[in-house]
Amino acid sequence: MVFMSTNKTAPLRPSDARPYSLEPVPPVSVEEPIAWYLQQAAAAADKAGLKTARTEARTAFMRQFGQRCKLVRGAREINDVAATVGVHRNTIWNIERGDSLPDAFELEVLAKEYNTTPAYLLGGERQQGKAQPTARVSNSVRAVPVDAFIYVPLFDFRSSAAKGAFNDVESVVAMRPFDANFIRDDLDIPHNDIAMSLVVGVSMEPWLHSKDAILTDLQDRDVLAEGVHVIKLDGALLVKKLQRLPGKILRVSSYNQAYESFDVQGHDYPDRDFAVLGRVRWAGVTFN
């Protein structure tokens, strides 16, 4: 009779020094759960050890499969995908969480719906014929998800101010690719109302310099907490620090002490051509 530890253990292996040795299971390879499982299966001394290794590898594989499905779904709603392929939303949800795997038929349907291949979803190949960061994406006022990337419109600040503040496609000078996981997970921006622009002027120095790139969440306009925002003031687009004060007052200030702060009251908004356009979520420094 072989006694197994309650901790996760590797299969019993032959040893030169003794008949069997009990060793901890090495962690499943994040990149290659299948290869890891085959290696463990070849060394398994009994069915219990083989079953343990299979469970570990399957769990890692399902998690990776779900992440790839979520990535290619992009900004589409789960309800939309579920209705299109004819399954309950929980089916898509459980797959993306890594709690279940589709059968062969569902795999083909999902791959077609996501405009990819079953092999890619299974982790056997990179997406073929898909846009990479060097691919051309047509200019748009909203970000465009393409495979593993999200192309964010880069606006000309001066042109956008004159034509309607991030609403005119003629103000878009380029579409800049960002890793989709960075946008969705790290920055936690689940939508595509995102704008990229270059800082103009020195009012935010030393925090931001002229020509530094900023990424703005255009749906975050409520100023619930102090932060850096893009505002429209008397026809100009500005990057400023905003602080909400009692009495529906916003204090507008700069990091550069040469620029004085000022307050804008709620009833002043229509008269001053003032609006909060979004919250700055990321900045890229330019070294001159």
Side-chain angles (χ1 to χ4, degrees):
M1 179 180 295
V2 177
F3 293 92
M4 301 294 291
S5 168
T6 55
N7 295 326
K8 294 178 180 178
T9 58
L12 296 176
R13 300 179 177 86
S15 169
D16 293 336
R18 54 193 179 193
Y20 295 101
S21 62
L22 196 60
E23 302 174 4
V25 173
V28 178
S29 169
V30 174
E31 297 296 331
E32 299 291 345
I34 301 302
W36 178 91
Y37 167 68
L38 292 175
Q39 181 182 16
Q40 297 301 307
D46 55 21
K47 291 184 178 179
L50 181 62
K51 183 178 180 180
T52 298
R54 186 178 187 275
T55 300
E56 293 285 336
R58 181 179 174 84
T59 299
F61 178 84
M62 291 170 63
R63 182 172 60 251
Q64 292 180 11
F65 181 86
Q67 290 172 349
R68 284 189 289 271
C69 286
K70 182 178 180 180
L71 182 64
V72 295
R73 176 169 63 85
R76 291 186 60 184
E77 296 290 340
I78 287 182
N79 288 340
D80 176 47
V81 174
T84 302
V85 302
V87 298
H88 194 276
R89 71 179 306 277
N90 287 347
T91 300
I92 306 298
W93 175 253
N94 289 333
I95 288 174
E96 292 186 359
R97 288 180 58 188
D99 291 338
S100 67
L101 284 173
D103 60 25
F105 175 77
E106 292 172 333
L107 175 62
E108 288 283 352
V109 171
L110 283 175
K112 292 287 186 183
E113 181 63 22
Y114 291 143
N115 193 28
T116 186
T117 65
Y120 171 75
L121 293 179
L122 292 170
E125 67 177 31
R126 293 175 59 87
Q127 293 223 59
Q128 300 297 321
K130 298 296 180 179
Q132 297 300 316
T134 55
R136 178 168 179 78
V137 175
S138 298
N139 286 356
S140 169
V141 295
R142 302 181 79 240
V144 179
V146 181
D147 301 327
F149 303 96
I150 295 178
Y151 288 77
V152 179
L154 172 60
F155 285 86
D156 181 337
F157 242 14
R158 295 183 178 89
S159 178
S160 184
K163 297 181 178 180
F166 303 131
N167 293 325
D168 195 297
V169 71
E170 293 184 4
S171 301
V172 178
V173 297
M175 301 293 289
R176 298 300 192 207
F178 285 81
D179 179 77
N181 288 328
F182 174 71
I183 297 293
R184 303 302 190 208
D185 299 332
D186 295 353
L187 297 184
D188 193 24
I189 301 177
H191 54 82
N192 297 322
D193 289 331
I194 317 167
M196 189 176 182
S197 51
L198 301 182
V199 175
V200 177
V202 298
S203 67
M204 296 299 284
E205 290 185 353
W207 192 78
L208 287 172
H209 296 79
S210 180
K211 297 184 179 180
D212 283 352
I214 57 173
L215 201 63
T216 304
D217 181 349
L218 299 179
Q219 288 193 11
D220 193 349
R221 302 183 177 188
D222 294 333
V223 196
L224 298 178
E226 178 179 332
V228 176
H229 294 71
V230 175
I231 65 172
K232 184 178 181 182
L233 179 64
D234 300 331
L237 297 187
L238 306 172
V239 181
K240 295 293 181 182
K241 182 171 65 174
L242 299 184
Q243 180 183 6
R244 184 172 292 280
L245 302 176
K248 296 183 179 181
I249 297 174
L250 283 182
R251 176 154 297 166
V252 183
S253 57
S254 306
Y255 281 101
N256 189 334
Q257 297 301 312
Y259 291 76
E260 295 184 2
S261 61
F262 59 91
D263 295 341
V264 180
Q265 298 189 21
H267 58 77
D268 290 339
Y269 288 11
D271 297 333
R272 295 203 61 175
D273 185 26
F274 175 86
V276 179
L277 302 181
R279 186 184 185 95
V280 176
R281 299 297 308 280
W282 173 90
V285 177
T286 299
F287 292 97
N288 297 320

